Amino acid sequence: MFPLDAGLNDVEEIRMDLYVRGSYRQFGDEPRNEKTYSHLLEGWLPAAPGVLNTIRTKIRAGAYARQEHDILSDIGGDVSLLAHALANVSRVYGQSMWRKDPLAVLSKFDDSQLARIFRVDDAQLSSARFERMNQHQTSLLAHTLKSYSGLEVMQEQAEREGRQLCTNEASACSVLRLLVPNLVAWNYPQQYTRIVASVRNGHDTFEQAIHRFIGENPQEMAANFAATWGLSAELRDAVTFRRKGVSPYLKIDCSDPNSSAAIGSLCEMAEGIAKLSNPTQFPKAEKEWQSSARDVQRLFGADVTECLLNRLEECAGEKLERYSSAVGRSLFATAAKRRAQSSASTRNTYVASCSEPLQSCLEQVYETLDEAPQAALELVVNAAVNTAGFSCGCIFLSSNSGQHMVPTLLIGEKAQSRYRVSDPYIREVLGQSMFREVPFSGQGSLSDGESMRHVSAAIGGNIDMGVLSLEFSEESLEDPDINPLSHFKAIRKTLNDCLFALGQQRQAQASAG
């Protein structure tokens, strides 16, 4: 990516002067490595093949001027072109960007202004090529687009209540917050592989691992780039927003969708939702999500995490497919193939994150479900729960009076004697779980002295008031292939589907009788 109004012979000099000097940092006793900065910005990110040519063709034909096409829609799923536009919009605008939404400004540009931004070709934009994308770059692209799509999903949820929540500025912020990790992945692929390993092993969060490599917080580096590019101070503050930096009990005011705190908080929520959808890549996602979960509940009046996650898969999938169609082959072949072949993955998005033995077991459940829901439920209780790494458990449902919870479906041999609502620790678990969709792990002692290590949460789905609690087996605690929180979500969704199908079958039988 290079600055505007520069001949190709001037590119290298201007890059170093405009970007590297403007982004100068100290690291230890020596200046932060200039080569790292210049390498990141010179290498940039590849655009999806053919998209730039299409945009330039539309500009020459006046399609944007006649409003036959929308430039934001055309670049909205392309991380490289979105960031490239953000890097150049201020210079083309020629005025102060104080309190200006850069994407809103871009959307009003005439053809000559758009031509100045998108006059580059693929080779000038980046030396990297999409066709050579590796697995880790693919995963990060998917995460970036899921984070970007998370804003759309939250806006959809807000629109049901007649509210405007996420602005174009939030979309710009989302791209900038994940720009540096993407630059690192494409321009330092071997080092990025080690970063991914550190995150998956649980040694660091994603942001910590990137920070460790570049010697600077990635969001602060992106904000520094944004300052050099002439973007507003409000947007830069939103880019560096971190919920961890404020009291977890402080209410973030999202009533003004243009405030830095609101934009930053919404982007952090969207990133958290994207991480929750891929626990293999982000094993600390559940823990990181806790403060954002409170914000989501305050924002929508309920914990709609599951709702957002379910919609995210579809929304982000459309953007991911755009890259695949542009390249001419599926960049997400493994996931696409699994979805196409698996009834379980189609109906239960959590299955894809499970171990292979559990995936196989749940596939059998869903193959049985439509014809024999009772048999499918028994398969979950007698086989899938144990395969998932749990020894026993219980579904508690609201009593007819609605005044207390009743153990309704007992799972495992030990269940009969363990899940008494009179037990103080059981009551504590129920109190913590009843309105909490995000699963949590806990440990305590029952009144008979037995230890209880469990994952619990509201059962959700079609059940208005219920709790699912599953206890770890000893073997699962030592098995690195078992992710208990991912397995819990898959089992919970499967149980929901079984109980719903069983209820429909009994209603049909009653009507027929």
Side-chain angles (χ1 to χ4, degrees):
M1 187 274 300
F2 62 90
L4 300 172
D5 306 323
L8 292 180
N9 293 334
D10 302 321
V11 169
E12 296 300 327
E13 179 180 348
I14 293 176
R15 272 179 177 153
M16 291 295 294
D17 177 59
L18 181 60
Y19 293 121
V20 178
R21 277 200 302 107
S23 302
Y24 208 72
R25 284 291 180 271
Q26 297 293 318
F27 183 58
D29 296 327
E30 299 294 332
R32 179 69 176 108
N33 193 342
E34 273 190 20
K35 186 177 180 180
T36 301
Y37 279 91
S38 60
H39 187 64
L40 291 176
L41 290 164
E42 289 168 21
W44 203 241
L45 311 167
V51 176
L52 265 173
N53 285 336
T54 300
I55 289 173
R56 287 202 299 269
T57 299
K58 290 179 179 179
I59 292 173
R60 287 193 297 270
Y64 296 117
R66 294 193 301 272
Q67 298 184 339
E68 295 173 0
H69 293 274
D70 174 34
I71 188 62
L72 296 188
S73 296
D74 284 350
I75 67 173
D78 195 300
V79 179
S80 173
L81 292 181
L82 273 166
H84 174 76
L86 292 172
N88 290 290
V89 65
S90 174
R91 234 179 268 70
V92 172
Y93 186 56
Q95 301 178 37
S96 168
M97 293 291 287
W98 184 72
R99 295 196 70 83
K100 294 285 186 181
D101 179 338
L103 294 182
V105 170
L106 178 72
S107 69
K108 296 177 182 177
F109 275 179
D110 60 29
D111 288 341
S112 64
Q113 290 172 308
L114 290 176
R116 291 176 64 195
I117 288 182
F118 297 107
R119 68 180 188 176
V120 296
D121 60 28
D122 288 322
Q124 293 166 343
L125 186 71
S126 174
S127 59
R129 290 292 171 268
F130 244 94
E131 294 84 350
R132 296 193 291 269
M133 177 184 253
N134 65 37
Q135 177 186 352
H136 298 313
Q137 291 161 341
T138 302
S139 295
L140 180 57
L141 172 64
H143 172 63
T144 303
L145 291 178
K146 282 184 177 181
S147 298
Y148 186 86
S149 300
L151 294 172
E152 298 178 21
V153 170
M154 288 194 291
Q155 176 57 35
E156 288 177 2
Q157 189 74 21
E159 285 175 354
R160 296 190 184 101
E161 305 169 10
R163 291 188 293 150
Q164 173 67 31
L165 188 64
C166 302
T167 63
N168 284 330
E169 198 163 12
S171 298
C173 180
S174 176
V175 172
L176 290 170
R177 284 171 66 94
L178 288 169
L179 174 61
V180 171
N182 277 279
L183 290 173
V184 171
W186 280 99
N187 295 287
Y188 292 96
Q190 291 183 343
Q191 290 87 337
Y192 185 71
T193 298
R194 292 197 288 270
I195 288 170
V196 171
S198 176
V199 175
R200 287 187 174 177
N201 291 335
H203 296 151
D204 294 305
T205 66
F206 183 59
E207 290 74 18
Q208 287 169 342
I210 295 287
H211 189 162
R212 190 184 300 278
F213 170 65
I214 61 177
E216 185 174 356
N217 179 280
Q219 291 162 355
E220 290 176 0
M221 182 185 285
N224 186 57
F225 291 160
T228 306
W229 298 335
L231 301 180
S232 71
E234 292 78 18
L235 178 57
R236 301 197 304 268
D237 287 344
V239 170
T240 58
F241 177 90
R242 281 179 290 173
R243 190 67 171 86
K244 191 195 296 188
V246 297
S247 166
Y249 302 102
L250 177 66
K251 182 178 180 180
I252 300 297
D253 183 9
C254 291
S255 58
D256 177 7
N258 298 304
S259 72
S260 297
I263 292 171
S265 178
L266 291 169
C267 286
E268 192 169 64
M269 288 183 218
E271 290 162 15
I273 295 167
K275 289 179 179 179
L276 284 174
S277 72
N278 190 352
T280 301
Q281 186 177 358
F282 302 103
K284 292 190 175 184
E286 292 282 354
K287 183 177 180 181
E288 293 177 46
W289 177 248
Q290 295 308 314
S291 58
S292 291
R294 283 189 288 268
D295 289 334
V296 166
Q297 186 149 0
R298 289 166 181 154
L299 194 58
F300 297 108
D303 187 349
V304 294
T305 304
E306 296 292 339
C307 229
L308 298 175
L309 276 168
N310 291 336
R311 177 70 183 105
L312 181 66
E313 183 82 11
E314 180 181 350
C315 187
E318 296 169 1
K319 294 180 175 61
L320 295 174
E321 285 306 314
R322 174 183 181 180
Y323 280 89
S324 297
S325 60
V327 174
R329 63 182 174 83
S330 177
L331 294 171
F332 307 90
T334 302
K337 182 178 180 182
R338 183 183 298 159
R339 283 196 300 271
Q341 293 179 344
S342 169
S343 169
S345 292
T346 301
R347 300 168 69 172
N348 185 340
T349 56
Y350 301 112
V351 171
S353 300
C354 295
S355 64
E356 289 188 10
L358 182 56
Q359 287 187 35
S360 177
C361 189
L362 293 180
E363 188 63 45
Q364 294 178 47
V365 172
Y366 280 94
E367 287 173 357
T368 309
L369 180 58
D370 293 331
E371 296 298 324
Q374 180 65 43
L377 179 61
E378 291 173 1
L379 186 56
V380 178
V381 171
N382 297 326
V385 168
N386 187 259
T387 304
F390 301 106
S391 60
C392 60
C394 183
I395 292 178
F396 299 84
L397 298 180
S398 176
S399 64
N400 291 334
S401 65
Q403 295 181 349
H404 55 275
M405 304 294 285
V406 178
T408 305
L409 179 62
L410 298 171
I411 303 169
E413 295 179 0
K414 298 191 298 181
Q416 288 283 354
S417 61
R418 291 180 74 78
Y419 302 109
R420 297 189 178 96
V421 292
S422 58
D423 190 293
Y425 187 66
I426 295 294
R427 288 203 303 272
E428 181 183 332
V429 171
L430 292 175
Q432 292 176 330
S433 309
M434 201 175 303
F435 302 105
R436 182 172 181 167
E437 287 196 19
V438 177
F440 71 100
S441 56
Q443 180 174 1
S445 296
L446 300 174
S447 55
D448 61 5
E450 287 281 323
S451 176
M452 178 178 171
R453 299 184 67 174
H454 62 95
V455 181
S456 303
I459 193 165
N462 298 290
I463 299 173
D464 292 331
M465 189 73 73
V467 168
L468 172 64
S469 184
L470 297 174
E471 293 189 53
F472 297 105
S473 65
E474 292 297 327
E475 296 81 7
S476 70
L477 297 172
E478 301 175 358
D479 190 340
D481 292 330
I482 290 181
N483 185 321
L485 293 176
S486 296
H487 284 190
F488 179 92
K489 290 179 180 179
I491 292 293
R492 176 174 62 176
K493 178 66 167 66
T494 307
L495 284 169
N496 251 306
D497 292 341
C498 289
L499 293 172
F500 179 70
L502 192 59
Q504 285 195 318
Q505 184 189 64
R506 289 175 178 173
Q507 281 184 348
Q509 290 171 346
S511 299

